[in-house]
């Protein structure tokens, strides 16, 4: 049975799902060294933001197949390191959207009305109404940085509260922004004009320290900043100075450069700053959503099924996988076959997508073809996650061609591999949308379904060859399940494709190559 380690608090509903297929260990107080010491036992790791999955941990996770992040941000996971090792990293892209958006809105209103400090003062026995005079958000300008899932929900609610909306997101269209009632503007303009700035972007090398002394200086003395996205997007020391000196009016922060916060310049800024301990996703509803979402994906991957929301499998979302699965199997089979026929080190893979396959969605097919191609070298270590990287590291050049015509079939996939030992090509199609058929080997038309053990020969199309080969195989007790000859012209060159019941015994391939008229022979296991 597989083993899953849960290293951050996860809703029980997720644990129950994992328990259907695995032994689940819940250890939520592990120090990095402790995690490193035990991770080697586990097939899957389920985390939230509390666990840092560094390269070290990934190297030590020799059995790891999947890391599941029960939330959105995967900045605490070394995703490139996981990808290199073929470990799928999944998250829950939507499970906590509403929770995080509502927290940001709550922070904005709390900051405007000094709710946390006013509440604390009443609880201290005071009745101070003068110190907590607030300001309204109605008709104020909200600058939304990052108009993705959370940013969009914040924008919609803010719109309903009568706020004017500016947004900055270089990856969002003007139409989408307009639909949300937002005016897309340059970042500096947003900083200059907004009364409230709310951040909803991932932490990346581009967004780190986006808010710093220089950008803070662009803002109005009345500006308030809300960060429920990620620590490190704001330079905390510069923010503390700006609030202290009145460059801006205040900030509400849920996330920090280093968590837990500990000693910080941000403490001691009174009612102009609100700090919460990374609570954006901490609602009962969101925790159920993310736990189910991620536990189901871990379960599926442990059962050998694809994950819905893998962050490190490019172009392979659930919708693509749904429709493409049979074609990916076709691509993988052809990749494996052409890799074995070519042998040696493959340098170039030409991929021709014909007919219905000649669409923009070629990426999944190429990944699958590379996975098949690399199988001989890497066996189970190659998967959809690392096939691209492994191919790049081996210097395999992929050349993609699309051709809208496809004779006799709705869609054809043609792979040609060129390597140190020569060039071979295979073409295949799906019959009835799911049954794989080989339609061409090295330019010779055939029509056979692939089987586990196959033998291919290149020979002269002359009488007697088939008989000779049949008796030779018979003398080695090799049973032929099916056989087909493909030729371009009568009595010219031809290929023979044989499905055999068992692997070819040692030495027989050399005997086959000695048969007069047979120019070459290849055995493959698919
Ligand atoms: N405080 C908390 O507990 C939570 C925090 N989050 C954080 O909120 C953030 C946003 O999450 P979602 O809206 O779900 O993600 P999303 O992927 O739907 O949206 C992110 C948006 O940021 C935009 N973006 C990327 N780089 C940008 C840049 N350099 N400048 C401006 N925009 C940029 C993208 O185009 C996208 O529209 C993430 O960092 C996530 O980790 C999410 C959930 C809970
Ligand atoms: O989903 C996210 O990105 C979050 O930041 C939520 O973090 P958490 O799962 O509550 O530790």
């Amino acid at each position: 049975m597989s083993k899953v380690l849960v290293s951050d608090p996860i809703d029980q509903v997720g644990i129950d799902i994992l328990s259907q297929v695995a032994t689940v260990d819940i250890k939520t107080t592990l120090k990095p060294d402790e995690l490193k010491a035990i991770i080697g036992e586990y097939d899957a790791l389920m985390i939230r933001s509390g666990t840092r999955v560094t390269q070290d941990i990934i190297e030590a996770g020799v059995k790891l197949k999947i890391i599941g992040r029960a939330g959105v941000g995967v900045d605490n996971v070394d995703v490139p390191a996981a990808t290199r090792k073929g470990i799928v990293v999944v998250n829950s892209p939507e499970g906590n959207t509403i929770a995080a958006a509502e927290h940001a809105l709550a922070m904005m209103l709390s900051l405007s009305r000094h709710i946390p400090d006013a509440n604390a003062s009443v609880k201290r026995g005071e009745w101070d109404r003068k110190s907590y005079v607030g300001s309204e958000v109605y008709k104020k300008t909200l600058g939304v940085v990052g108009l993705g899932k959370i940013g969009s929900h914040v924008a919609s609610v803010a719109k309903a509260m009568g706020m004017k909306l500016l947004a900055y997101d270089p990856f969002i269209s003007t139409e989408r922004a307009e639909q949300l009632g937002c005016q897309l503007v340059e970042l500096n303009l947003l900083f200059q004009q907004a009364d409230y700035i709310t951040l909803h972007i991932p932490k990346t090398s581009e967004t780190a320290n986006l808010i710093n002394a220089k950008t803070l200086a662009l803002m109005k003395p009345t500006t308030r900043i809300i960060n429920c996205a990620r620590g490190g997007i704001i330079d905390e020391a510069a923010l503390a100075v700006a609030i202290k000196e009145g460059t801006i009016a205040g900030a509400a922060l849920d996330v920090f450069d280093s968590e837990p916060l500990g000693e910080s310049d941000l403490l001691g800024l009174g009612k102009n700053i609100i700090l919460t301990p990374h609570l954006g996703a901490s609602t009962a509803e969101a925790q159920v959503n993310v736990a189910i979402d991620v536990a189901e994906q871990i379960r599926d991957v442990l059962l050998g099924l694809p994950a819905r929301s893998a962050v490190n499998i490019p172009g392979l979302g659930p919708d693509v996988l749904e429709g493409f699965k049979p074609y990916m199997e076709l691509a993988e089979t052809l990749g494996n076959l052409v890799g074995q026929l070519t042998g040696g080190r493959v340098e170039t893979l030409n991929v021709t997508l014909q007919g219905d396959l000649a669409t923009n969605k070629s990426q999944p097919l190429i990944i699958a073809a590379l996975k098949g191609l690399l199988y001989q070298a890497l066996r189970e270590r190659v998967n959809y996650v690392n096939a691209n990287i492994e191919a790049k590291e081996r210097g395999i050049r992929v050349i993609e061609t699309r051709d809208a015509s496809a004779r006799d079939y709705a869609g054809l996939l043609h792979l040609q591999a060129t390597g140190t030992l020569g060039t071979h090509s295979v073409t295949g199609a799906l019959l009835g949308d799911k049954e794989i058929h080989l339609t061409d080997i090295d330019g010779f038309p055939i029509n056979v379904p692939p089987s586990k053990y196959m033998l291919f020969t290149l020979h002269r199309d002359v009488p007697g060859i088939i008989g000779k080969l049949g008796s030779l195989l018979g003398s080695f007790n090799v049973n032929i399940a099916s056989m087909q000859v493909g030729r371009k012209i009568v009595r010219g060159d031809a290929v023979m494709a044989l499905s055999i019941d068992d692997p070819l015994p040692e030495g027989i391939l050399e005997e086959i190559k000695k048969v007069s008229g047979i120019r070459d022979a290849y055995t493959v296991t698919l």
Side-chain angles (χ1 to χ4, degrees):
M1 203 171 193
S2 301
K3 281 185 81 177
V4 182
L5 176 63
V6 174
S7 63
D8 283 315
I10 304 289
D11 193 275
Q12 183 61 36
V13 67
I15 310 294
D16 293 344
I17 292 168
L18 295 173
S19 303
Q20 294 167 3
V21 295
T23 306
V24 183
D25 289 345
I26 305 169
K27 296 175 195 276
T28 57
T29 55
L30 293 171
K31 299 201 170 66
D33 277 357
E34 294 168 336
L35 174 59
K36 191 176 163 187
I38 61 168
I39 192 68
E41 295 168 35
Y42 293 95
D43 303 278
L45 174 63
M46 187 162 180
I47 57 162
R48 284 174 59 194
S49 62
T51 304
R52 290 201 69 75
V53 189
T54 55
Q55 181 166 354
D56 248 24
I57 305 283
I58 287 166
E59 296 294 333
V62 288
K63 286 192 188 163
L64 274 184
K65 292 186 187 65
I66 176 164
I67 298 168
R69 193 314 189 199
V72 180
V74 287
D75 45 290
N76 51 329
V77 179
D78 188 337
V79 178
T83 305
R84 280 195 297 277
K85 292 210 56 198
I87 300 168
V88 191
V89 180
V90 301
N91 69 350
S92 169
E94 290 171 16
N96 62 25
T97 302
I98 300 299
E102 289 184 357
H103 197 67
L105 290 158
M107 291 287 244
M108 179 172 72
L109 293 172
S110 299
L111 197 54
S112 318
R113 306 303 290 268
H114 312 298
I115 289 171
D117 280 53
N119 166 65
S121 77
V122 174
K123 287 184 176 166
R124 280 194 305 270
E126 298 166 13
W127 194 254
D128 177 1
R129 299 181 1 137
K130 274 205 305 287
S131 302
Y132 301 114
V133 174
S135 49
E136 292 171 16
V137 299
Y138 181 67
K139 288 201 171 161
K140 297 281 165 40
T141 298
L142 174 65
V144 183
V145 181
L147 207 50
K149 290 179 281 296
I150 299 170
S152 300
H153 190 69
V154 168
S156 311
V157 177
K159 181 91 194 146
M161 289 197 292
M163 298 188 83
K164 183 181 166 216
L165 297 169
L166 300 180
Y168 171 72
D169 189 325
F171 309 106
I172 290 285
S173 67
T174 315
E175 293 73 40
R176 168 72 183 146
E178 277 168 6
Q179 265 174 14
L180 293 161
C182 295
Q183 186 192 346
L184 268 189
V185 291
E186 279 311 310
L187 190 58
N188 282 351
L189 191 73
L190 182 149
F191 286 154
Q192 284 161 355
Q193 296 194 349
D195 299 299
Y196 295 84
I197 295 168
T198 186
L199 305 178
H200 300 292
I201 47 181
K203 187 186 169 197
T204 63
S205 49
E206 273 121 59
T207 63
N209 279 333
L210 190 77
I211 300 216
N212 53 43
K214 224 162 118 196
T215 48
L216 283 161
L218 298 173
M219 298 172 193
K220 302 192 276 194
T222 49
T223 299
R224 294 180 172 91
I225 300 174
I226 298 114
N227 185 10
C228 291
R230 269 299 170 275
I233 299 176
I234 300 182
D235 175 342
E236 290 172 1
L239 178 71
V241 171
I243 294 175
K244 209 180 272 170
E245 294 182 351
T247 312
I248 65 163
L253 310 176
D254 184 46
V255 284
F256 305 91
D257 213 0
S258 166
E259 295 178 5
L261 180 59
E263 278 297 300
S264 167
D265 296 346
L266 297 169
L267 303 169
L269 293 171
K271 66 181 182 192
N272 294 329
I273 193 151
I274 300 176
L275 310 171
T276 52
H278 203 144
L279 290 181
S282 293
T283 64
E285 296 86 345
Q287 284 314 304
V288 168
N289 293 342
V290 298
I292 293 176
D293 201 358
V294 172
E296 283 183 349
Q297 295 189 72
I298 293 178
R299 179 197 62 196
D300 290 354
V301 167
L302 292 179
L303 292 174
L305 301 167
R308 287 195 288 275
S309 314
V311 300
N312 59 350
I313 305 186
L316 286 185
D319 49 330
V320 175
L321 278 174
E322 188 63 28
F324 258 57
K325 193 106 212 322
Y327 285 107
M328 287 174 71
E329 277 165 18
L330 167 69
E332 195 173 329
T333 304
L334 295 182
N336 191 352
L337 175 55
V338 80
Q340 291 186 59
L341 292 177
T342 309
R345 190 164 61 77
V346 171
E347 289 159 342
T348 308
L349 181 70
N350 284 280
V351 180
T352 310
L353 303 132
Q354 292 174 258
D356 288 355
L357 292 181
T359 66
N360 292 332
K361 286 193 189 157
S362 55
Q363 180 82 337
L365 295 182
I366 290 175
I367 290 174
L370 288 171
K371 178 178 178 236
L373 185 75
L374 292 168
Y375 182 75
Q376 290 309 308
L378 295 170
R379 299 282 151 172
E380 276 66 36
R381 280 180 293 127
V382 64
N383 59 22
Y384 293 144
V385 177
N386 62 3
N388 245 336
I389 285 192
E390 291 288 351
K392 273 200 188 102
E393 282 178 359
R394 282 167 170 70
I396 299 173
R397 205 157 63 99
V398 177
I399 300 170
E400 180 189 334
T401 313
R402 291 180 213 160
D403 172 4
S405 67
R407 226 158 23 103
D408 303 332
Y409 295 93
L412 282 169
L413 182 66
H414 173 75
L415 302 183
Q416 184 194 58
T418 302
T420 44
L421 303 180
T423 296
H424 285 275
S425 70
V426 296
T427 309
L430 289 179
L431 292 193
D433 277 350
K434 41 180 191 290
E435 199 187 323
I436 298 175
H437 266 239
L438 305 176
T439 63
D440 190 299
I441 299 284
D442 283 338
F444 294 95
I446 52 167
N447 186 0
V448 286
S451 65
K452 186 158 175 54
Y453 304 110
M454 297 193 83
L455 172 65
F456 295 94
T457 63
L458 175 65
H459 61 272
R460 293 292 297 169
D461 177 31
V462 288
I465 294 260
I466 295 174
K468 278 192 236 168
L469 182 64
S471 353
L472 181 64
L473 290 174
S475 69
F476 280 88
N477 197 27
V478 175
N479 202 32
I480 301 171
S482 73
M483 192 275 288
Q484 206 192 59
V485 175
R487 58 188 189 177
K488 287 183 216 166
I489 50 164
V490 176
R491 297 199 178 227
D493 280 338
V495 294
M496 206 178 330
L498 296 98
S499 296
I500 48 183
D501 288 339
D502 299 293
L504 215 55
E506 280 288 301
I508 182 171
L509 199 62
E510 291 317 309
E511 294 300 316
I512 294 170
K513 287 180 189 171
K514 285 183 201 154
V515 172
S516 121
I518 292 188
R519 307 238 302 258
D520 221 334
Y522 309 86
T523 177
V524 301
T525 303
L526 295 173

